[in-house]
Amino acid sequence: MFEKIPQNALRSFSITLLLVLGGFHQIVRADDIDDFIKKSQVKTYDCPKSEVLPQLDTFLNSIKTTHSQSIALQVIKTQSMICVGQLEQAQNVLEDIIRDPAIDKLSYSYASAIYQMGYIFEAQDDPKRCAYYKQAEELGKDSFKDITLSSQIAQLSGCSGNKQSIGERLGKLFALLESHVLTNDKEEVAHIHNEIGYLFGKIGQNVLAVEQYQKAYDIGLDVYEEKNQVAPLMSLISAYIGSGNFNEAKLMIDKLAEENKKINTPLTNSWLYYSLSRYYYLTADYAQMRVNLVKWQAFLPMVTNKQMDDLFAWYSAFICMIDDDRDCITQYLSAREIEDAQVSNALSNNKDYLRFLVEANLYLGNVPASEKVFQRYADKLTTKLNQQQASGQVLGVANLYTKINMLEENITKIQRENIQTIVLVCLLITVIALLLYLTLGRHYLRKLATDSLTGLRNEQSVLGAIKRIRSVQRDKVNAIAVFDVTNFSEVNAQFGYLTADTLLKRVAGCLNQVTREKDLLGRLGTDRFIVCLKNIDDETARVLFDRIQNSLTDMAINAGSGEKVNIHSSMSMYLSQDGLQDIEQVLEEMRMSAHYNKRASAL
């Protein structure tokens, strides 16, 4: 009555049924999970890649997953949640992890969970963050470098209170930067630049903040996961707006919009529409601001961020005032009066927000309330000025506002004169701070990027600049030439290091003379030099490289005893229409090719 089912068909059916009933978990091996954890874990200042999440959930549901593996997977997942703005969801999971009596408190996962809790409390403007950051620093010490660094920076940025001035904290961050630049860990360097920018912004030094955020963003492009690349970009936008440079701010917002097409998370969308709303608010484009708020509102329920909610409520209330909606303004101010203590510090200290409160109360005819808000503004300004002067004693960095807005026009002449006096003092300190920065800070940064012997870019600096070169136009190339001084060791052994150093200086001088100002020159290691020509004709590049090689061939130096020593060198060349982000690999291939050719010649 029934046909006999073939054996291979029966086997396929059995396998399918096994998968459906959950037998899939049996094929997961513990080693697979360990390998996955190792590959998926990222440092505290980066975000896990989105594509790992489906596999992560599969492992979490597997019966083969051990307790310690489950903890590690959950911590990776909460870090990903934080990166997309799901703070409350992440907090609930982390609290259960931390309370788990079986957790290994010496593990990376436990230290990371403690740090993440501190980060969540920081986003919520909760002072409990400092205790978690301190604990995370202790757990990470001598074991987990990224957790230790992030915890130290977080405490310097927001946990020092009145015990350390802004200047002292900046000094420690610059010291951290100096030590980590030497390790060539780009993620760490970008992280520190970002925090220095944050402190500069905190004291109103937005021009200086822009420089730091730009460095963090540029470095981060090479090392951070895409979601985390937009964080310093957001900071850069904020600093440009704070400095009054709205044109650059809009360019950065456009770049954020372009990047967000690839990322498209609720958090990055909220950041984008917040940035646009702030831009339209400050440039008085209220029609665009109104349209933008509607788009922003759609993403707010997906992101647990009280500060973002407060900002949206403020901007919406401002539009109510533009629309002459007295009931809306009355309702907003009544709610703020009840919830004032819960408004985030970032908002309550915002001068534009305080100006709005003054104007809103004046709009409703409540002059006493308006004067009360302005007094808060004046008190905060005085406090910040005192902080600024304390900072100046350490680094010459001032705490100031570079611009006093139209707020004082609604207040008495006496109050206006007092504020004008403060402005004069602030401007004076600003000039001093900028002079110190221009003379000391930039000199320090140039020194870090320069080879002390030859005056050319050092290896880290020149390779970093080359990596930023992009693909070229049609019929053009990016050209690299590496010149090896082949008799350097011989000269050093026969005539001493002074003569050998003179030889290297002469080579550097020759390269400077025969190249163009826009070309990139640098020293690699001891006796190698690199020249990079951007977006140039193939033939022109070859001619220029040959000219350099000929110039080196014709050179000789005085060995000190009247004896002339010729410079012997070899050249390797690389031409490409692509960008040069993989310059280290290109140099290695050039080195191996030159080594092979040398051996072939010897044979």
Side-chain angles (χ1 to χ4, degrees):
M1 188 173 181
F2 295 99
E3 294 181 1
K4 184 178 180 181
I5 301 175
Q7 189 67 28
N8 59 345
L10 182 61
R11 184 178 302 159
S12 298
F13 174 77
S14 300
I15 293 174
T16 302
L17 182 62
L18 186 64
L19 290 173
V20 172
L21 295 177
F24 166 74
H25 298 300
Q26 303 301 323
I27 67 174
V28 175
R29 298 184 300 112
D31 289 345
D32 295 335
I33 302 175
D34 287 335
D35 290 342
F36 175 81
I37 291 171
K38 185 176 180 180
K39 293 177 182 177
S40 302
Q41 274 181 339
V42 295
K43 295 179 180 178
T44 51
Y45 29 82
D46 202 357
C47 295
K49 295 185 182 298
S50 302
E51 52 264 32
V52 308
L53 296 180
Q55 185 69 47
L56 186 149
D57 288 331
T58 298
F59 285 141
L60 275 174
N61 294 324
S62 171
I63 61 175
K64 290 290 186 178
T65 303
T66 66
H67 180 266
S68 61
Q69 289 173 334
S70 177
I71 293 294
L73 291 168
Q74 289 181 73
V75 171
I76 295 172
K77 188 169 184 177
T78 55
Q79 189 169 351
S80 181
M81 289 178 180
I82 291 172
C83 285
V84 297
Q86 297 175 351
L87 301 185
E88 289 183 5
Q89 298 92 319
Q91 183 175 349
N92 292 334
V93 177
L94 288 167
E95 287 175 345
D96 290 340
I97 290 173
I98 293 171
R99 286 195 296 262
D100 188 337
I103 193 171
D104 179 5
K105 294 189 176 182
L106 298 178
S107 67
Y108 180 88
S109 298
Y110 182 72
S112 180
I114 295 294
Y115 173 80
Q116 288 181 36
M117 283 293 291
Y119 185 91
I120 290 172
F121 283 129
E122 181 175 358
Q124 297 170 349
D125 206 21
D126 190 323
K128 290 199 290 287
R129 64 184 182 272
C130 297
Y132 280 95
Y133 283 146
K134 181 64 177 175
Q135 184 182 358
E137 181 186 3
E138 291 297 323
L139 291 168
K141 189 176 297 181
D142 301 325
S143 301
F144 314 120
K145 185 180 177 183
D146 62 312
I147 294 176
T148 301
L149 176 64
S150 293
S151 301
Q152 288 174 338
I153 290 176
Q155 291 176 84
L156 286 173
S157 297
C159 293
S160 296
N162 294 324
K163 296 180 181 179
Q164 288 182 315
S165 69
I166 294 289
E168 290 173 314
R169 284 180 262 171
L170 279 169
K172 291 185 177 181
L173 283 175
F174 272 115
L176 274 176
L177 178 63
E178 183 175 6
S179 64
H180 284 80
V181 163
L182 299 177
T183 68
N184 200 30
D185 189 321
K186 293 184 178 180
E187 290 174 292
E188 293 178 353
V189 171
H191 187 36
I192 298 171
H193 275 302
N194 191 73
E195 293 303 318
I196 292 174
Y198 169 75
L199 282 185
F200 274 138
K202 194 171 183 179
I203 61 175
Q205 294 279 11
N206 289 300
V207 174
L208 302 183
V210 162
E211 292 190 4
Q212 297 299 318
Y213 287 138
Q214 186 69 60
K215 292 179 186 298
Y217 176 66
D218 290 342
I219 296 171
L221 288 175
D222 292 334
V223 293
Y224 284 151
E225 202 271 342
E226 284 183 337
K227 289 193 295 293
N228 208 31
Q229 291 174 6
V230 301
L233 186 55
M234 274 294 303
S235 300
L236 193 54
I237 292 168
S238 181
Y240 271 127
I241 289 177
S243 66
N245 192 339
F246 296 120
N247 290 334
E248 285 295 330
K250 186 58 167 65
L251 290 175
M252 293 299 105
I253 292 173
D254 291 341
K255 182 177 289 188
L256 173 61
E258 190 64 30
E259 292 294 323
N260 189 52
K261 291 178 182 178
K262 298 178 287 185
I263 304 169
N264 195 30
T265 68
L267 181 61
T268 56
N269 277 289
S270 295
W271 278 350
L272 172 62
Y273 292 121
Y274 158 64
S275 299
L276 284 167
S277 296
R278 186 181 180 195
Y279 171 78
Y280 292 137
Y281 171 78
L282 292 172
T283 56
D285 190 346
Y286 304 134
Q288 286 294 329
M289 181 180 176
R290 183 183 286 104
V291 172
N292 194 73
L293 284 171
V294 175
K295 297 178 181 179
W296 184 9
Q297 188 175 22
F299 294 98
L300 283 177
M302 308 178 202
V303 178
T304 52
N305 189 312
K306 176 171 173 49
Q307 182 175 330
M308 194 77 75
D309 293 336
D310 289 342
L311 288 165
F312 178 81
W314 161 28
Y315 287 151
S316 298
F318 177 79
I319 291 296
C320 289
M321 192 162 64
I322 297 297
D323 293 340
D324 199 23
D325 188 343
R326 296 179 66 86
D327 291 340
C328 175
I329 295 299
T330 301
Q331 183 179 359
Y332 176 80
L333 291 179
S334 298
R336 290 280 73 78
E337 187 174 348
I338 296 172
E339 302 174 8
D340 189 58
Q342 299 177 5
V343 173
S344 62
N345 284 333
L347 187 59
S348 63
N349 289 324
N350 187 298
K351 65 181 186 302
D352 293 317
Y353 174 68
L354 293 176
R355 181 181 67 184
F356 163 73
L357 291 182
V358 171
E359 292 174 345
N361 280 290
L362 288 176
Y363 171 77
L364 296 177
N366 191 344
V367 176
S370 176
E371 291 180 342
K372 181 180 178 181
V373 174
F374 179 76
Q375 188 58 53
R376 285 172 52 195
Y377 169 83
D379 291 344
K380 290 183 185 300
L381 187 62
T382 301
T383 300
K384 288 182 177 295
L385 179 60
N386 292 335
Q387 293 172 346
Q388 168 206 11
Q389 292 169 339
S391 300
Q393 295 175 3
V394 180
L395 288 180
V397 179
N399 175 14
L400 73 155
Y401 293 107
T402 59
K403 177 182 177 184
I404 300 299
N405 54 41
M406 299 303 293
L407 200 59
E408 55 267 21
E409 291 186 4
N410 298 313
I411 315 302
T412 65
K413 291 182 179 179
I414 295 176
Q415 289 173 317
R416 183 165 60 248
E417 290 171 355
N418 288 339
I419 291 176
Q420 288 171 347
T421 301
I422 293 174
V423 172
L424 290 175
V425 174
C426 290
L427 289 175
L428 178 61
I429 298 176
T430 302
V431 172
I432 295 172
L434 287 175
L435 287 174
L436 284 173
Y437 173 75
L438 290 173
T439 57
L440 299 178
R442 292 187 175 179
H443 173 73
Y444 164 75
L445 294 176
R446 282 197 301 271
K447 183 177 179 181
L448 285 179
T450 303
D451 175 52
S452 58
L453 177 65
T454 65
L456 301 180
R457 289 175 182 258
N458 59 27
E459 182 169 345
Q460 177 183 337
S461 174
V462 72
L463 295 186
I466 291 173
K467 283 184 178 180
R468 293 193 289 273
I469 297 174
R470 303 305 176 192
S471 300
V472 298
Q473 306 165 358
R474 180 183 295 182
D475 300 329
K476 301 285 186 178
V477 296
N478 290 320
I480 295 286
V482 174
F483 297 90
D484 288 89
V485 181
T486 56
N487 64 333
F488 172 80
S489 298
E490 178 184 338
V491 171
N492 189 52
Q494 184 173 355
F495 300 103
Y497 75 91
L498 292 178
T499 301
D501 285 351
T502 300
L503 182 148
L504 294 178
K505 292 177 184 178
R506 288 291 304 277
V507 171
C510 175
L511 294 179
N512 267 321
Q513 289 175 2
V514 299
T515 54
R516 306 164 302 176
E517 185 175 348
K518 64 180 181 179
D519 299 332
L520 295 174
L521 310 178
R523 181 183 177 191
L524 305 179
T526 302
D527 53 1
R528 303 176 74 210
F529 296 84
I530 187 169
V531 178
C532 178
L533 313 178
K534 301 177 287 184
N535 197 30
I536 191 171
D537 292 331
D538 183 325
E539 187 59 31
T540 303
R542 294 177 187 275
V543 169
L544 182 54
F545 287 153
D546 286 340
R547 189 172 72 192
I548 296 174
Q549 182 64 48
N550 292 335
S551 297
L552 291 176
T553 302
D554 295 338
M555 287 178 58
I557 62 170
N558 191 334
S561 60
E563 185 176 349
K564 296 290 184 180
V565 177
N566 291 323
I567 295 176
H568 299 164
S569 64
S570 64
M571 178 181 72
S572 302
M573 189 187 315
Y574 175 83
L575 307 177
S576 173
Q577 290 188 321
D578 298 328
L580 296 169
Q581 291 86 354
D582 58 344
I583 181 61
E584 286 94 348
Q585 181 179 345
V586 169
L587 290 176
E588 179 61 20
E589 292 174 357
M590 292 172 68
R591 187 186 69 80
M592 293 299 295
S593 176
H595 180 69
Y596 174 80
N597 292 336
K598 186 183 294 184
R599 290 191 60 190
S601 298
L603 294 173

